[in-house]
């Protein structure tokens, strides 16, 4: 996963990347929504308002996948997403988001800002950490091909 990881580390949060988080509704139907996300210390973080379908689904079932088109590779990450509430991580991630142009600050055990994408719901926004189980990358540039990675969890 090294090439994809390097691109994630280089391009988030400064490049205009759209990540799509897929979760499962309680009745088993899928739900997908675009989210803002950043890759920090080999971990993907994303946000969602507590009332959003994404956050309600994750509260009931943390299993999810996250897809993104990177330079030269389409990437899907699968794992479990859990809410982050510790102050040090929230402060650190708010700083990373700010470095990419989103003016996030910490508000209690969540993030807030003057604006966010409508799909995030109203502030404050929960921060989620994705624990990777597997990833699939499909190269859309030379040398092409697909690769699957699995991770101990």
């Amino acid at each position: 996963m090294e090439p994809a990881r390097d691109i994630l580390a280089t391009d988030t949060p400064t490049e205009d990347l759209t990540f799509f988080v897929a979760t499962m509704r309680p009745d088993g139907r899928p739900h997908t929504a675009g989210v803002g996300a950043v890759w920090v210390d080999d971990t993907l973080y994303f946000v969602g308002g507590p009332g959003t379908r994404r956050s309600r689904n994750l509260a009931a079932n943390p299993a999810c996948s996250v897809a993104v088109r990177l330079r030269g590779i389409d990437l899907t990450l699968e794992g479990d997403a859990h809410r982050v509430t510790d102050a040090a991580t929230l402060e650190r991630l708010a700083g990373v988001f700010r470095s990419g142009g989103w003016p996030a600050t910490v508000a209690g055990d969540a993030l807030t800002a003057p604006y966010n994408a409508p799909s995030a719901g109203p502030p404050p926004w929960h921060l989620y950490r994705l624990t990777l189980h597997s990833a699939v990358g499909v190269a859309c540039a030379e040398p092409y091909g697909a690769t699957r990675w699995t991770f101990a969890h």
Side-chain angles (χ1 to χ4, degrees), residues 104-129:
T105 58
V106 176
D109 62 358
L111 298 177
T112 191
Y115 60 86
N116 201 346
S119 65
W125 299 288
H126 293 169
L127 178 68
Y128 293 93
R129 174 187 294 125

Side-chain angles (χ1 to χ4, degrees), residues 26-147:
D27 65 5
R29 293 180 301 127
H31 174 266
T32 304
V35 299
V38 292
W39 183 263
V40 176
D41 296 333
D42 286 339
T43 302
L44 187 77
Y45 294 87
F46 61 90
V47 298
T52 61
R53 170 52 51 199
R54 160 178 69 255
S55 291
R56 294 190 324 261
N57 289 349
L58 291 172
N61 177 359
C64 66
S65 64
V66 180
V68 63
R69 170 164 268 188
L70 302 172
R71 290 178 286 118
I73 188 168
D74 294 336
L75 185 65
T76 301
L77 307 169
E78 297 178 343
D80 293 324
H82 295 280
R83 192 165 167 228
V84 175
T85 59
D86 68 277
T89 303
L90 287 167
E91 287 290 349
R92 182 159 185 243
L93 269 291
V96 171
F97 279 114
R98 284 192 303 273
S99 75
W102 183 49
T105 58
V106 176
D109 62 358
L111 298 177
T112 191
Y115 60 86
N116 201 346
S119 65
W125 299 288
H126 293 169
L127 178 68
Y128 293 93
R129 174 187 294 125
L130 180 67
T131 301
L132 284 175
H133 295 189
S134 64
V136 175
V138 178
C140 44
E142 289 288 342
Y144 298 106
T147 304

